[in-house]
Amino acid sequence: MAAGNSDDPPAEVLADAAAAFGLLASPPRLHIVWALAEGESDVSGLAHRVGGALPAVSQHLTKLKLAGLVRSRREGRRQVYYVDDADVVTVVRLMIGQLTTRAARDAAPRLRDLGA
């Protein structure tokens, strides 16, 4: 395919996608998106689930919100976070699923080598 093909996404879209993937390249932020893909939560619930300090999780959520990967709504005094984009959920689940399958497949021969 030639460079600049009309089927290629615009440079701005590629830059936005790279920025989103850059945010998801952080294990804590990826874990937060994974957790929110399974259901909404407040910051304290997320901090407990991902094993992070409350201020750090709050900062990660702010970055994810600014990028449009996570949204929030107020429920009384709590701020509840959720992933509002089914495509983001699909991408995260697909990547984690593929890597989990690969890790299990790669570990199996090692276990057999150990006589397990």
Side-chain angles (χ1 to χ4, degrees), residues 33-34 36-38 83-94:
V33 172
W34 173 265
L36 291 175
E38 293 185 344
V83 178
D84 192 33
D85 187 335
D87 293 331
V88 169
V89 171
T90 299
V91 168
V92 169
R93 286 185 173 159
L94 179 64

Side-chain angles (χ1 to χ4, degrees), residues 3-20:
N5 186 312
S6 63
D7 292 338
D8 290 346
E12 183 178 307
V13 170
L14 291 170
D16 289 346

Side-chain angles (χ1 to χ4, degrees), residues 11 28 32 36 38-39 53 57 62-63 75 97:
I32 288 167
L36 291 175
E38 293 185 344
V57 171
T62 297
K63 289 179 181 182
E75 277 188 5

Side-chain angles (χ1 to χ4, degrees), residues 6-112:
S6 63
D7 292 338
D8 290 346
E12 183 178 307
V13 170
L14 291 170
D16 289 346
F21 280 118
L23 281 170
L24 293 175
S26 160
R29 285 193 290 268
L30 185 58
H31 196 173
I32 288 167
V33 172
W34 173 265
L36 291 175
E38 293 185 344
E40 52 191 40
S41 180
D42 64 9
V43 67
S44 60
L46 285 169
H48 177 74
R49 179 161 179 185
V50 304
L54 202 65
V57 171
S58 182
Q59 288 177 350
H60 288 308
L61 285 165
T62 297
K63 289 179 181 182
L64 291 166
K65 276 183 68 174
L66 287 171
L69 297 173
V70 166
R71 297 188 61 180
S72 67
R73 71 171 185 285
R74 185 132 325 261
E75 277 188 5
R77 300 177 73 182
R78 292 180 342 137
Q79 193 78 1
V80 177
Y81 296 88
Y82 58 98
V83 178
D84 192 33
D85 187 335
D87 293 331
V88 169
V89 171
T90 299
V91 168
V92 169
R93 286 185 173 159
L94 179 64
M95 178 59 77
I96 298 293
Q98 288 292 103
L99 293 175
T100 299
T101 300
R102 184 182 303 163
R105 184 184 62 231
D106 292 349
R110 289 188 295 241
L111 292 174
R112 282 194 297 267

